[in-house]
Amino acid sequence: MLSRLQIDNYALIRRLDTEFGSGLNIITGETGAGKSILIGAIGLLLGDRADTSVLLEKEKLCKVEGWFEPIPNELRAFLESLEIWLEPGEALRLKREISPAGKSRALINETVVTLAVLKEVGNTLAEIHGQQDTRLLNEPQAQLQLFDLFASTQEERTQYEIAFQEWTNLRDQLQSLKQEQAEWLRSQEYIRFQFEELYETQLKPDEDEKLDQDLKKLESSEQIRETLSTAFTDLYDRDLSVYNQLAGIQKQLAKFESLDTKIGEENIRIHQALELIREVALSLQDLESESEANPEKLSQMQERQNLYQKLKLKYQVRTASELIQLRDELETKVLAGDSATEAILKTEQKLAKQQESLIQKGILLDKKRSKQVKPFQQKISTLLAAVGMEGAQCIPDLSLNIRKEGQFVVEGNSIEPLRSGLNAFRLLVQTNPGTPAGPLNSIASGGELSRIMLAIKTSIATQTGTPVLIFDEIDTGISGETALKVGRVMKELAQDTQVFSITHLPQIAAKGDQHYLLFKGSNKGYTASDIRKLPLEERIQAIAEMIGGAQPGKAALDHARELIGKGE
């Protein structure tokens, strides 16, 4: 249970520190006293988001802290998995801090945790139910969620939802593969033509550059031959060639080698030069013979060069290497079309297997739900009678979600699976015997919706195992004897669960095990909300004021005492 609540610098609350008891805790107060603020602060403890707008004094830290005890064993194990260790008998403390800069911290027993962790822990400890939740009761998915809690189908529903998500992923994957294949089929003829054109060309890296160089050489072959011939003749093959002239100089110097050794050394170098000139001349002569004009080869090379130029222009590239890269990319696309067919086949097989698993889990969930339709109807009808709706029926309308073009067939019916199961579901209500049943939002009034929600919450309290239930003015639209009956149901519910009821009705307030008054007061120039537990006489006075106004007479006071006496 929530044993203590401490609030600092939150909205109209400057500082609040109060303890709560087990059973039914009643909270009353004038309009604007801060009842919704109190609920908002508790919501922060349970993981709701907040910003600096909640700060009363904008330059100070806002803190909300709640003590819960005893701690459920399952929750203790979860906390230990987060390395949050609590001593035996130690209370679980949830805390939220909001700084003036807008930064928020969540703590569990002074260990900083993420908001998601705080929310997960908070959801196991307490549940707030207000008028907004009553309006949500008109939504079929919210109705089914409540029915599943009653039917204890959480495990089967979770398994189904996991299978549904996997099935959805595979279905989307298959659709994507088929779209890709369709696009490939539309363009495959042209892609394949482009690939084959480049493949048959037998492209080679840098071949285009080599062709340019070789062509220039072939086109200048005659000039090259003439130049090489002249060079050979001038160097070696005429009377006044460089070789012959240098040979004459060698002979002349040879006459004086015996007289000067240095002349002999230089003459050796002239001899070496003669050999080099001879080698160069003969090499140039060989090059001349190799440089003969070859019109056929020139034509072939020009044709190859033109082919490269044509392909470059066509495919908007600059080099042979880029053409090769494009060819390889086209080959990948061609092969992708073939591999897509294989991928589609494998995905179809996986989808069929997953669909079978989904159907099995959906049927299992449907059967478990179907077994709880009558018990739910009987239980809720009993509780509705207890809250003043004698003869009313709350009827679960559960059926397979049959659609003309459903995704698959179950028991001969075309079914469209939903994330919540194979079922279509809605709650029908019959408020009076003999009248037709209809949807909640068109049959039940606001007060009736509140009582239906209270009946459902009461019926599932043991299944959910939530230690703390907070009802925020769900008694709107009722009064008199009906309010007394609602109070009795809350009192009965509070035997196993700590219940908080924020109420304006004296009949419900009188049923409380503890009664707390929220009020606004002025101190040192500012107005702030506070709360205090009322002793018996003040409690009688507060309930009498709810009956007879700010100055209740003796009759109102006597009526308040009578109500409290009946509530105890």
Side-chain angles (χ1 to χ4, degrees), residues 347-360:
T347 305
E348 285 176 336
Q349 292 171 345
K350 289 181 181 178
L351 182 61
K353 185 176 180 181
Q354 184 61 34
Q355 179 173 302
E356 185 62 31
S357 174
L358 180 65
I359 292 173
Q360 291 176 0

Side-chain angles (χ1 to χ4, degrees), residues 359-505:
I359 292 173
Q360 291 176 0
K361 288 178 171 60
I363 291 174
L364 181 65
L365 178 58
D366 170 64
K367 288 181 177 179
K368 190 166 183 180
R369 283 170 171 169
S370 297
K371 289 179 181 179
Q372 295 299 318
V373 168
K374 286 186 178 179
F376 180 88
Q377 184 174 343
Q378 293 169 354
K379 179 70 173 178
I380 300 303
S381 296
T382 300
L383 288 167
L384 288 178
V387 294
M389 295 180 68
E390 293 84 356
Q393 297 283 324
C394 189
I395 306 164
D397 182 15
L398 179 76
S399 63
L400 290 174
N401 190 39
I402 298 174
R403 293 291 181 268
K404 185 176 180 180
E405 297 181 356
Q407 294 286 335
F408 40 74
V409 176
V410 177
E411 299 176 355
N413 297 305
S414 178
I415 301 298
E416 181 65 28
L418 303 172
R419 185 169 296 278
S420 56
L422 304 181
N423 300 115
F425 183 87
R426 60 178 180 164
L427 284 177
L428 304 179
V429 64
Q430 182 186 46
T431 54
N432 297 293
T435 60
L440 286 178
N441 58 352
S442 61
I443 299 294
S445 66
E448 288 170 334
L449 274 177
S450 296
R451 282 179 281 167
I452 291 170
M453 177 61 88
L454 176 61
I456 294 174
K457 289 288 185 178
T458 302
S459 72
I460 64 177
T462 55
Q463 280 89 340
T464 59
T466 306
V468 181
L469 289 177
I470 302 170
F471 293 101
D472 182 15
E473 297 185 359
I474 71 160
D475 48 28
T476 302
I478 63 173
S479 60
E481 184 64 25
T482 298
L484 278 172
K485 292 179 178 180
V486 169
R488 291 191 195 107
V489 170
M490 285 189 178
K491 183 79 170 181
E492 183 179 348
L493 178 60
Q495 291 179 3
D496 300 311
T497 304
Q498 185 188 34
V499 177
F500 289 82
S501 177
I502 297 176
T503 182
H504 290 290
L505 299 178

Side-chain angles (χ1 to χ4, degrees), residues 154-170 354 357-358 361 365 418-421:
Q154 293 92 323
E155 182 178 349
E156 289 81 3
R157 178 164 174 166
T158 298
Q159 292 301 317
Y160 172 86
E161 288 175 344
I162 292 171
F164 179 85
Q165 187 60 55
E166 292 176 357
W167 175 78
T168 301
N169 292 342
L170 284 170
Q354 184 61 34
S357 174
L358 180 65
K361 288 178 171 60
L365 178 58
L418 303 172
R419 185 169 296 278
S420 56

Side-chain angles (χ1 to χ4, degrees), residues 12 14 35 37 39 46 48 111 125 139 141 145 203 233 247 268 299 376 384 388 395 404 419 463 474 505 511 525 561:
L12 289 178
R14 189 167 299 275
K35 296 186 293 296
I37 293 172
I39 293 297
L46 304 183
D48 290 350
T111 298
L125 291 172
E139 299 295 329
Q141 283 304 311
Q145 189 74 34
L203 302 167
T233 302
I268 291 173
S299 176
F376 180 88
L384 288 178
I395 306 164
K404 185 176 180 180
R419 185 169 296 278
Q463 280 89 340
I474 71 160
L505 299 178
K511 300 293 182 184
R561 289 189 184 93

Side-chain angles (χ1 to χ4, degrees), residues 187-214:
S187 59
Q188 70 162 328
E189 184 176 348
Y190 184 57
I191 290 174
R192 190 176 293 276
F193 167 78
Q194 290 179 313
F195 167 70
E196 290 177 351
E197 180 180 44
L198 294 176
Y199 179 79
E200 292 172 359
T201 303
Q202 297 183 344
L203 302 167
K204 298 176 184 178
D206 304 324
E207 183 184 10
D208 53 338
E209 296 178 4
K210 189 173 184 304
L211 276 171
D212 290 342
Q213 184 178 352
D214 291 346

Side-chain angles (χ1 to χ4, degrees), residues 75-194:
L75 182 55
R76 185 181 293 274
F78 174 71
L79 293 171
E80 289 177 355
S81 72
L82 300 174
E83 298 186 352
I84 300 176
W85 310 93
L86 279 72
E87 297 295 331
E90 183 182 1
L92 175 64
R93 290 179 290 117
L94 306 187
K95 182 191 289 187
R96 287 291 295 282
E97 295 180 347
I98 303 167
S99 73
K103 295 183 179 180
S104 171
R105 285 206 313 166
L107 302 96
I108 298 179
N109 288 63
E110 301 306 322
T111 298
V112 177
V113 297
T114 64
L115 191 59
V117 168
L118 183 72
K119 194 176 187 69
E120 185 171 354
V121 172
N123 286 339
T124 67
L125 291 172
E127 181 181 340
I128 299 175
H129 177 74
Q131 295 180 41
Q132 176 64 28
D133 300 289
T134 299
R135 288 191 288 272
L136 285 175
L137 187 57
N138 289 319
E139 299 295 329
Q141 283 304 311
Q143 296 170 4
L144 181 57
Q145 189 74 34
L146 292 169
F147 178 78
D148 278 336
L149 287 171
F150 177 89
S152 299
T153 59
Q154 293 92 323
E155 182 178 349
E156 289 81 3
R157 178 164 174 166
T158 298
Q159 292 301 317
Y160 172 86
E161 288 175 344
I162 292 171
F164 179 85
Q165 187 60 55
E166 292 176 357
W167 175 78
T168 301
N169 292 342
L170 284 170
R171 184 187 60 181
D172 294 345
Q173 183 181 344
L174 179 61
Q175 183 178 0
S176 178
L177 286 171
K178 287 183 175 180
Q179 287 177 346
E180 290 175 6
Q181 187 186 50
E183 292 173 2
W184 178 84
L185 288 171
R186 284 193 293 269
S187 59
Q188 70 162 328
E189 184 176 348
Y190 184 57
I191 290 174
R192 190 176 293 276
F193 167 78
Q194 290 179 313

